[in-house]
């Protein structure tokens, strides 16, 4: 039988139909297998892990068939318990597949310490960003007579004078003593020259 006659024969069309049916069945079975292995359409809502300890996180995620990875600890935040979750990724409410890893960061056990920078004779505008960059907070501002307006003259913590290099805990409130720019300087020699002489009374003759 010639090729042309074979391609137009009933046998060829039956074989072609059978091959198409086999391919369709294999594709159908493959898609079902793929759906089963990847849990397609089965998603879990990520819970809120904020302020939970690592042990509590593990127990909660195990119940949901999720996993977690501890990335790092962050600087101590007083509004969170020690060693509790401060940040998580994905965020709460996100829909994820079974077995997804949740990345967490936990709170440190307490404030770390920093060195007091040299702010003496720096302006108020220079001092504030420097304090904040170190994790310190601005406390009360006090003005005293001095020619340097808004110039830092002293740094204090809870009434105690601080020196450059002293260590304090992060988030401490640093009080600043600034010049008011109203002080005046009078030379002692000028004061003496303008003084009014006092006459000593003589004994009457």
């Amino acid at each position: 039988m010639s090729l042309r006659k074979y391609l137009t024969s009933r046998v060829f069309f039956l074989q072609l139909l059978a091959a198409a049916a086999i391919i369709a069945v294999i594709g159908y079975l493959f898609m079902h297998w793929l759906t089963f292995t990847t849990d397609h359409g089965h998603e879990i809502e990520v819970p809120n892990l904020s302020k939970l300890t690592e042990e509590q996180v593990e127990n909660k995620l195990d119940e949901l068939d999720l996993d977690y990875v501890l990335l790092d600890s962050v600087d101590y935040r007083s509004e969170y318990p020690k060693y509790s979750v401060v940040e998580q990724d994905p965020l709460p409410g996100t829909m994820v597949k079974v077995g997804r890893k949740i990345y967490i960061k936990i709170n440190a056990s307490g404030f770390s310490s920093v060195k007091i920078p040299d702010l003496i004779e720096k302006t108020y505008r220079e001092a504030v960003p420097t304090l904040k960059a170190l994790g310190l907070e601005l406390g009360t501002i006090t003005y005293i007579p001095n020619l340097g307006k808004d110039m830092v003259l002293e740094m204090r913590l809870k009434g105690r004078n601080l020196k450059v290099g002293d260590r304090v805990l992060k988030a401490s409130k640093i009080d600043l003593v600034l010049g008011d720019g109203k002080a005046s300087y009078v030379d002692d020699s000028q004061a003496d020259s303008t003084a009014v002489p006092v006459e000593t009374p003589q004994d009457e003759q």
Side-chain angles (χ1 to χ4, degrees), residues 5-6 8-15:
K5 287 184 178 181
Y6 173 73
T8 57
S9 68
R10 183 180 178 185
V11 174
F12 173 75
F13 282 107
L14 289 175
Q15 289 178 342

Side-chain angles (χ1 to χ4, degrees), residues 55-191:
E55 182 179 356
Q56 291 172 325
V57 167
E58 184 174 5
N59 293 335
K60 191 163 190 174
L61 294 183
D62 279 346
E63 295 174 358
L64 299 172
D65 291 327
L66 297 175
D67 201 358
Y68 78 96
V69 176
L70 175 59
L71 293 179
D72 199 1
S73 61
V74 300
D75 288 339
Y76 180 69
R77 300 183 188 178
S78 58
E79 65 271 26
Y80 289 86
K82 296 179 181 179
Y83 305 114
S84 69
V85 176
V86 174
E87 299 177 13
Q88 70 177 85
D89 181 33
L91 296 174
T94 305
M95 302 303 293
V96 297
K97 294 180 180 179
V98 172
R100 172 66 185 269
K101 290 182 172 62
I102 311 300
Y103 298 91
I104 62 173
K105 293 183 180 181
I106 62 173
N107 201 19
S109 60
F111 289 117
S112 56
S113 64
V114 293
K115 287 185 178 180
I116 289 294
D118 186 3
L119 301 179
I120 302 301
E121 296 187 356
K122 299 288 180 64
T123 64
Y124 173 81
R125 285 190 173 184
E126 293 174 317
V128 173
T130 302
L131 290 175
K132 290 184 176 180
L134 294 172
L136 300 172
E137 297 181 13
L138 179 64
T140 59
I141 302 296
T142 305
Y143 287 90
I144 62 174
N146 190 278
L147 284 174
K149 182 173 176 54
D150 291 330
M151 185 173 67
V152 177
L153 303 175
E154 296 178 21
M155 299 174 288
R156 297 174 181 172
L157 175 63
K158 297 180 180 179
R160 175 175 62 91
N161 282 352
L162 296 172
K163 300 188 299 294
V164 176
D166 285 349
R167 299 198 73 91
V168 298
L169 294 177
K170 279 190 175 182
S172 295
K173 291 186 177 181
I174 307 302
D175 302 329
L176 298 180
V177 178
L178 308 177
D180 61 6
K182 297 179 181 178
S184 58
Y185 174 75
V186 179
D187 190 284
D188 291 341
S189 61
Q190 292 179 353

